């Protein structure tokens, strides 16, 4: 059923491309099957996707919008790629920093953090600490480069001085930002989530709650946006949920996260 739906979808994409004088590369199509750990060790017959004249078998990992998806949704390969390319770019910046004024260096490093660490970071919610720590080391190195801090100097005071959040809180910050857009209906339609319907009007009615879904699989289901966003959003105090202005909301959340991280 899922394969036939994918083939129909690809057929519609092919038609749209053809109508716009574009061509779909059949043999470059790639897809990955999400397989639970209990099933991954068993010998199962993998389906074949028919794309035009090509027959495509599932890959162990696939890249989409810059994110590497694997069968177990561990994102280990994605983080490895982010860290390796990230350290490469930091070394390149380090070689050029003596030619850059302080303001230009700060702009370059902040752009690096936004593009390499914060990009698509919400999908990393709920990953093991060992995986998040790999990204934290990359963030620490960016802080050392920006502040000319030695390799063996303590990094926590530097991160605090820069007013940067640790990686695990940056991920929560991103999800809460998206949740705010969902609640106040400024998000794309595909991100919309149902709001919790209160049985009676109270003082907190002006601070909507999101309907919390129960995940079928705790290990992976709790990481879904439809589960993680309501969980984080509903835990906020009423006064914060009532903040309709996005930038004001982000300032409040960042202040709370910063205080929790470095208090």
């Amino acid at each position: 059923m899922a394969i036939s739906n994918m083939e129909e979808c690809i057929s519609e994409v092919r038609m749209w491309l053809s109508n716009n004088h574009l061509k779909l590369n059949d043999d470059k199509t790639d897809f990955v099957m999400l397989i639970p750990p209990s099933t991954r060790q068993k010998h199962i017959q993998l389906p074949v996707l028919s794309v035009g004249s090509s027959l495509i078998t599932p890959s162990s990992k696939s890249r989409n919008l810059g994110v590497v998806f694997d069968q177990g949704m561990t994102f280990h390969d994605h983080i490895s790629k982010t860290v390796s390319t990230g350290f490469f770019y930091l070394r390149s910046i380090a070689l050029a920093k003596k030619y850059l004024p302080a303001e230009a260096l700060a702009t370059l490093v902040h752009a690096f953090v936004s593009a390499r660490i914060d990009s698509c970071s919400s999908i990393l919610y709920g990953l093991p600490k060992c995986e998040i720590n790999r990204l934290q080391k990359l963030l620490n190195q960016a802080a050392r480069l920006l502040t000319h801090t030695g390799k063996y100097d303590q990094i926590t005071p530097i991160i605090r001085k820069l007013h940067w959040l640790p990686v695990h809180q940056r991920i929560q910050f991103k999800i809460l930002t998206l949740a705010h857009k969902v609640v106040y209906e400024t998000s794309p339609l595909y991100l919309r989530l149902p709001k919790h319907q209160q049985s009676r009007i109270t003082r907190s009615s002006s601070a909507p709650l999101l309907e919390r879904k129960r995940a079928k699989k705790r290990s992976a289901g709790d990481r879904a946006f439809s589960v993680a966003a309501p969980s984080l959003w509903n835990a906020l105090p009423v006064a914060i949920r009532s903040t309709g202005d996005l930038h004001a909301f982000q300032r409040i959340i960042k202040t709370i996260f910063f205080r929790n991280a470095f208090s």
Side-chain angles (χ1 to χ4, degrees):
M1 182 64 179
I3 292 295
S4 61
N5 289 340
M6 289 176 62
E7 291 176 344
E8 290 177 8
C9 180
I10 293 174
S11 178
E12 292 178 3
V13 171
R14 178 196 299 279
M15 185 178 300
W16 182 89
L17 290 172
S18 177
N19 292 337
N20 289 272
H21 309 288
L22 298 170
K23 186 179 187 305
L24 179 68
N25 293 323
D26 298 339
D27 56 345
K28 291 186 177 181
T29 303
D30 196 14
F31 79 103
V32 60
M33 282 186 61
L34 305 182
I35 305 175
S38 58
T39 311
R40 214 173 302 150
Q41 304 299 329
K42 301 177 182 178
H43 179 72
I44 58 175
Q45 184 177 2
L46 298 178
V48 177
L49 183 68
S50 176
V51 182
S53 58
S54 300
L55 297 177
I56 311 298
T57 56
S59 303
S60 59
K61 55 186 177 181
S62 183
R63 190 180 184 91
N64 183 34
L65 299 177
V67 179
V68 180
F69 291 85
D70 57 88
Q71 292 179 334
M73 293 290 281
T74 64
F75 294 106
H76 178 82
D77 294 313
H78 171 69
I79 294 176
S80 297
K81 182 67 175 177
T82 300
V83 170
S84 62
T85 56
F87 276 110
F88 169 79
Y89 285 122
L90 287 180
R91 286 192 293 269
S92 300
I93 296 173
L95 293 174
K97 72 176 182 180
K98 61 182 179 181
Y99 305 107
L100 298 172
E103 185 178 347
L105 178 62
T107 300
L108 190 58
V109 172
H110 281 91
F112 166 83
V113 171
S114 297
R116 291 290 162 182
I117 298 177
D118 291 338
S119 178
C120 301
S121 62
S122 58
I123 63 172
L124 306 179
Y125 178 78
L127 287 184
K129 191 175 181 180
C130 60
E131 295 288 358
I132 302 301
N133 284 345
R134 297 166 66 199
L135 288 174
Q136 184 64 49
K137 290 179 181 178
L138 182 62
L139 183 70
N140 293 348
Q141 186 59 33
R144 293 185 190 278
L145 175 62
L146 179 58
T147 58
H148 307 280
T149 304
K151 180 179 180 181
Y152 299 103
D153 294 335
Q154 239 186 350
I155 193 60
T156 302
I158 304 302
I159 297 289
R160 181 174 184 175
K161 183 179 179 181
L162 291 172
H163 215 267
W164 286 2
L165 293 175
V167 171
H168 74 279
Q169 290 186 322
R170 301 176 84 93
I171 294 172
Q172 294 181 13
F173 179 84
K174 178 67 72 68
I175 294 177
L176 283 172
T177 297
L178 293 174
H180 184 279
K181 294 181 179 180
V182 168
V183 169
Y184 291 95
E185 299 182 352
T186 59
S187 67
L189 290 176
Y190 59 82
L191 278 182
R192 298 292 169 87
L193 297 174
K195 296 178 183 178
H196 177 69
Q197 301 297 328
Q198 298 184 358
S199 57
R200 56 192 179 90
I201 299 177
T202 62
R203 286 184 298 176
S204 62
S205 299
S206 60
L209 296 170
L210 291 174
E211 185 176 326
R212 187 172 181 177
K213 295 183 178 180
R214 186 182 297 273
K216 295 181 179 179
K217 302 288 184 180
R218 291 191 60 83
S219 58
D222 287 347
R223 292 165 47 193
F225 179 75
S226 59
V227 178
S231 177
L232 293 174
W233 175 263
N234 295 349
L236 295 175
V238 175
I240 299 178
R241 296 202 312 270
S242 302
T243 306
D245 181 72
L246 177 60
H247 297 294
F249 173 80
Q250 289 176 320
R251 285 195 300 270
I252 296 171
I253 292 298
K254 184 175 181 180
T255 301
I256 293 175
F257 280 172
F258 187 82
R259 188 184 302 123
N260 292 339
F262 300 105
S263 60

